[in-house]
Amino acid sequence: MRSRFLLVTLGVLALGGCGVPNDRDPRPIEPSVTIGSYEGPMAAASPGAFVERLFLVRDNQLVPVDRRVEAVPPPRRHLEDLVTGPTPQERGAGLDSALAGTSYITGVRLVNGTAVVGLAVDNPIRNDETLAYGQIVCTLAARADIVAVQFAQAGRTMEVPRGDGALTSEPLTEADYESLIAG
């Protein structure tokens, strides 16, 4: 019994001297390396407290791109940023947009978590329209306040292509374009 007590006491004393100081008050620990920091070109070009996720295009695939912004933009502003297209740095990385320069998005409204995107009647038919709709759906569906996206033209629900090319007027999510998202 005495030998056990002696072993336990020695073990406690050995652990007590393992190099961790015994302070009276808590103190901050100063790490020598910051984990998760990013020092690339986007860090300097786009400071901000929030992330705005956009889906751009490279090699006929949708590519998620995170931009730092000062505040979470409303859905309409988020779409405007998408239509504006890639920044010079993003273009340098080979990113493009099937929406750049278009003006057929007339607005967006939220209905029970579904973003209803209005399209102009003179919506031009494009050979990359599946990517264009995929960019809109995936960008809006990446938001915490949107669960699905639907399209309307002149107040009527509109059929648009899913990632597999099938037309639907049902609400769409990122999963409908999963085959087009770069892995």
Side-chain angles (χ1 to χ4, degrees):
M1 177 86 159
R2 188 169 187 209
S3 62
R4 264 192 206 164
F5 178 73
L6 184 59
L7 283 173
V8 171
T9 304
L10 287 174
V12 170
L13 290 174
L15 288 175
C18 68
V20 178
N22 190 9
D23 294 340
R24 290 194 131 155
D25 298 318
R27 64 182 169 93
I29 297 174
E30 301 293 330
S32 59
V33 176
T34 303
I35 298 172
S37 68
Y38 176 68
E39 301 298 328
M42 290 300 292
S46 56
F50 299 95
V51 172
E52 175 187 55
R53 174 159 279 187
L54 304 172
F55 279 78
L56 298 175
V57 176
R58 180 189 304 129
D59 299 326
N60 290 320
Q61 289 192 301
L62 300 171
V63 179
V65 174
D66 292 339
R67 293 182 183 169
R68 303 298 298 185
V69 294
E70 293 300 320
V72 175
R76 181 174 181 87
R77 176 65 194 175
H78 205 147
L79 278 179
E80 289 170 359
D81 291 345
L82 179 64
V83 171
T84 298
T87 64
Q89 293 90 354
E90 293 162 349
R91 279 204 189 280
L95 295 167
D96 202 354
S97 175
L99 295 165
T102 61
S103 60
Y104 61 86
I105 297 173
T106 60
V108 61
R109 62 186 169 86
L110 290 179
V111 179
N112 298 323
T114 297
V116 179
V117 178
L119 300 176
V121 176
D122 60 341
N123 181 11
I125 296 183
R126 305 167 48 112
N127 60 1
D128 55 356
E129 73 177 351
T130 302
L131 285 172
Y133 288 114
Q135 281 187 263
I136 295 168
V137 170
C138 292
T139 294
L140 289 177
R143 296 174 58 94
D145 57 344
I146 296 176
V147 295
V149 180
Q150 207 166 20
F151 294 88
Q153 194 173 58
R156 298 174 67 195
T157 301
M158 180 178 165
E159 285 189 329
V160 299
R162 295 186 320 212
D164 63 5
L167 293 177
T168 184
S169 60
E170 296 297 314
L172 298 159
T173 68
E174 187 175 309
D176 291 298
Y177 297 90
E178 189 173 43
S179 63
L180 297 177
I181 298 173

